[in-house]
Amino acid sequence: MNDQRDLTLILKSRFPLVVIKTHEEQRVFGLLERIANLESWALFGWSVVEGLRRVGIGQRMVQTNELRECLKHIEATPQNGIYVLFDAHKYLEDPINVRLIKEVALNYAKTSRTLVFVSHELRLPEEVGRFAAHFELSVPDMNGLRTLMKEEAQLWQKQQGEPARGQQETLDALLRCLVGLPLEDARRLIRQALHDDGVISASDVTRIGRQKLEMLGEDGVLTLEPDSARLHDVAGLGRLKRWLELRRQPFLDLDNTTGLDVPKGVLMLGVQGSGKSLAAKATAGAWGVPLLRLDFAALYNKYHGETERNLRQSLKTAEAMAPCVLWIDELEKGLAADSGDDGLSKRVLGALLTWMSERESRVFLAATANDVSALPPELLRKGRFDEIFFVDLPDAETRKEVFLIHLRRRKLDPQGFDLDACVSASEGFAGAEIEQAIVAAKYESHASQKPLDTQMLVDELKRTKPLSVVMAERVTALREWAKDRTVPAC
């Protein structure tokens, strides 16, 4: 985008009012100074601290610190020009101020005075809003961010006498994390990452992602999950892994050079503890993008309309964090209807479905569910998600892989165990249940002051009743439902 060209076009279109919502006051004012110089327009600036002053000749208008007095001066003067008003939003509830603004707008044909409102949050009253044009500063794209990173790296090298360092993969992840931020915010975060130790690391990417979420004003409904896994941390699920790998590059291709549709999302149904949540985390880790978790419990509010507003704001924040993975765990619980909710769950579902259908941002929705009967049919129709996968109980080969992963994670040598015996004893176990059996066996090992061995593991597995036994009817019903309706993840 060419900000100078676009803003000049708005000003030449003879809009008497222009609204610019931004935190980058200096960037806006510098832009207006360049335009005013090129077009030979008079430029004025106002703030409650300095009052009204003319740029270039340093002339200050006395007794104009109050917005009302400033507007009276502008309305009375025959001086054409651009009048930039900073942080005027606090004074727009005053009906006299609103009327003075309207007078300036109505008399624009006689005296071309353009009021430019610059504030982080501003909404003009309805009676003057129809006279206004809105302008939004562009944010740097990936090429712009690469240029910015290069500039800051060169500055670091000049100051420190040594080059900045970092893996290309980590650098790309950091730049993707900065997409959507204003120029100066992105510059400050790059400087912070470099001036820490001169190395761009994974911890810098996590910290910047968290700071970006804070800048966007998120209040707890969305959380940034720092410990996203990798696909090799997930046992089995070969079809799902391949499906995700095929879509990695098109999702990260911000310039859309492939010409492929942007992946929208995936729903993972399955038995509890079978690895659905881990697969959602691994998607973000494998793609090198932030993982955001939407907490439905924090979403709901007792006041009418607040829950839907919270959802819309959270989804808007997720779009500002794009490219990212948005993880909704146990989706059916968040959308479960209650006879006493006065239609709230239906309104939440409607807002979510509308966003899923209409969004254009690179937010990949990774949702998990255990109880398919609690999901509304309209959520399952083709097009809401790119695919619906069923994550079944692990087979023998996958269970062996689960044992290998969790033994190594606890610094235990798998070669010291009879894995075939462990796999045989864990028939019907989900991955999470195998992990907990290893944890429990380690406690037994510690209590007996003996090293953990195969027999301890097998004994613990025999003492445990897996969910496939405890809830056999429900698990069987779920597996039967999924047989011809979903794609097997393994």
Side-chain angles (χ1 to χ4, degrees):
M1 289 179 65
N2 189 317
D3 287 341
Q4 185 168 318
R5 180 199 63 205
D6 294 342
L7 184 52
T8 301
L9 179 61
I10 288 175
L11 295 170
K12 285 186 173 181
S13 299
R14 300 180 65 80
F15 282 95
L17 310 179
V18 178
V19 175
I20 305 177
K21 291 172 62 174
T22 181
H23 287 278
E24 296 184 282
E25 287 186 2
Q26 291 181 336
R27 184 180 169 198
V28 169
F29 204 65
L31 187 61
L32 288 166
E33 280 188 290
R34 292 195 296 274
I35 294 172
N37 288 334
L38 286 171
E39 303 294 336
S40 298
W41 292 336
L43 178 65
F44 298 81
W46 175 87
S47 74
V48 71
V49 174
E50 294 190 350
L52 187 66
R53 64 182 178 87
R54 181 165 180 174
V55 178
I57 61 177
Q59 181 185 2
R60 294 181 184 275
M61 315 305 162
V62 296
Q63 297 182 338
T64 56
N65 291 72
E66 294 294 330
L67 181 62
R68 183 183 298 182
E69 300 307 316
C70 171
L71 290 171
K72 284 181 178 179
H73 176 90
I74 296 172
E75 197 273 333
T77 183
Q79 175 65 62
N80 295 341
I82 302 171
Y83 294 82
V84 188
L85 309 176
F86 294 102
D87 291 330
H89 60 281
K90 297 180 180 179
Y91 309 99
L92 295 181
E93 294 180 1
D94 185 337
I96 296 178
N97 288 342
V98 176
R99 184 62 207 185
L100 286 167
I101 293 169
K102 191 171 184 179
E103 291 287 345
V104 172
L106 290 171
N107 292 317
Y108 185 86
K110 298 178 182 178
T111 309
S112 301
R113 295 159 302 192
T114 303
L115 304 183
V116 179
F117 295 89
V118 180
S119 177
H120 73 286
E121 184 63 43
L122 189 144
R123 183 176 181 180
L124 291 179
E126 186 177 351
E127 54 264 50
V128 294
R130 61 183 296 270
F131 299 105
H134 292 258
F135 173 76
E136 185 174 343
L137 284 173
S138 64
V139 294
D141 58 12
M142 282 297 286
N143 288 331
L145 288 170
R146 289 190 184 97
T147 300
L148 195 59
M149 174 63 78
K150 185 177 180 180
E151 291 173 358
E152 293 302 319
Q154 290 172 344
L155 180 61
W156 162 266
Q157 184 170 2
K158 183 177 179 181
Q159 293 174 342
Q160 304 297 325
E162 60 181 42
R165 291 171 289 135
Q167 297 291 330
Q168 187 62 47
E169 182 181 355
T170 307
L171 178 60
D172 290 341
L174 184 140
L175 293 178
R176 286 194 295 269
C177 197
L178 293 171
V179 169
L181 282 179
L183 179 68
E184 290 308 314
D185 286 343
R187 187 187 299 277
R188 281 191 288 269
L189 291 176
I190 290 173
R191 283 185 180 176
Q192 183 185 33
L194 285 173
H195 284 261
D196 179 22
D197 53 8
V199 179
I200 301 297
S201 63
S203 61
D204 291 320
V205 178
T206 301
R207 183 179 67 248
I208 286 174
R210 188 177 294 112
Q211 288 175 309
K212 180 178 179 181
L213 197 61
E214 291 170 357
M215 287 177 180
L216 295 169
E218 185 50 43
D219 56 2
V221 177
L222 272 185
T223 55
L224 181 69
E225 298 288 324
D227 300 322
S228 52
R230 299 284 181 174
L231 289 178
H232 59 70
D233 297 322
V234 184
L237 310 188
R239 282 195 182 92
L240 175 60
K241 289 178 180 178
R242 184 175 184 277
W243 189 93
L244 291 170
E245 187 57 36
L246 288 176
R247 284 153 182 78
R248 178 181 184 276
Q249 189 54 42
F251 184 76
L252 299 179
D253 179 19
L254 302 187
D255 297 324
N256 197 26
T257 57
T258 63
L260 297 171
D261 290 351
V262 179
K264 294 287 188 179
V266 63
L267 174 62
M268 290 172 278
L269 297 170
V271 182
Q272 289 183 342
S274 53
K276 302 183 299 297
S277 298
L278 184 60
K281 292 181 179 181
T283 302
W287 288 1
V289 297
L291 175 66
L292 301 178
R293 181 174 183 177
L294 179 61
D295 183 0
F296 265 107
L299 187 73
Y300 281 85
N301 189 293
K302 64 180 180 179
Y303 296 107
H304 184 78
E306 282 299 297
T307 300
E308 302 94 301
R309 188 193 67 81
N310 288 344
L311 176 60
R312 286 192 293 268
Q313 181 59 42
S314 297
L315 296 175
K316 182 179 178 181
T317 301
E319 290 184 331
M321 290 288 291
C324 66
V325 171
L326 180 61
W327 171 33
I328 304 180
D329 205 22
E330 298 186 347
L331 180 62
E332 73 277 19
K333 293 182 180 178
L335 298 176
D338 189 320
S339 58
D341 72 358
D342 194 27
L344 176 58
S345 58
K346 290 184 178 180
R347 295 196 299 273
V348 169
L349 173 63
L352 181 61
L353 292 177
T354 299
W355 176 79
M356 290 173 66
S357 298
E358 296 182 358
R359 78 184 187 277
E360 297 180 356
S361 58
R362 293 176 185 268
V363 179
F364 185 84
L365 181 58
T368 71
N370 301 315
D371 184 4
V372 68
S373 65
L375 289 173
E378 55 266 46
L379 188 68
L380 298 176
R381 77 159 177 81
K382 205 66 174 177
R384 300 298 189 191
F385 293 96
D386 293 331
E387 194 58 87
I388 300 176
F389 283 96
F390 181 69
V391 184
D392 203 348
L393 292 170
D395 58 17
E397 184 179 349
T398 303
R399 294 201 303 278
K400 186 173 185 178
E401 195 176 344
V402 172
F403 277 106
L404 287 170
I405 290 172
H406 289 295
L407 288 172
R408 286 169 180 159
R409 186 171 294 171
R410 290 161 179 80
K411 303 188 185 313
L412 297 169
D413 185 4
Q415 293 185 353
F417 295 84
D418 183 351
L419 292 182
D420 290 335
C422 293
V423 167
S424 178
S426 62
E427 178 70 34
F429 278 64
E433 292 168 331
I434 292 174
E435 180 184 10
Q436 288 308 305
I438 294 173
V439 170
K442 281 203 69 178
Y443 278 111
E444 288 290 339
S445 169
H446 181 267
S448 64
Q449 297 185 343
K450 296 179 180 178
L452 181 63
D453 59 17
T454 301
Q455 192 57 49
M456 287 183 183
L457 268 179
V458 170
D459 289 344
E460 186 59 41
L461 289 165
K462 289 180 178 179
R463 283 193 292 269
T464 303
K465 296 298 181 185
L467 193 67
S468 61
V469 173
V470 176
M471 304 290 290
E473 295 80 10
R474 292 182 63 179
V475 171
T476 300
L478 177 61
R479 297 173 80 180
E480 284 298 318
W481 181 92
K483 186 180 297 182
D484 299 318
R485 295 178 173 91
T486 61
V487 176
C490 291

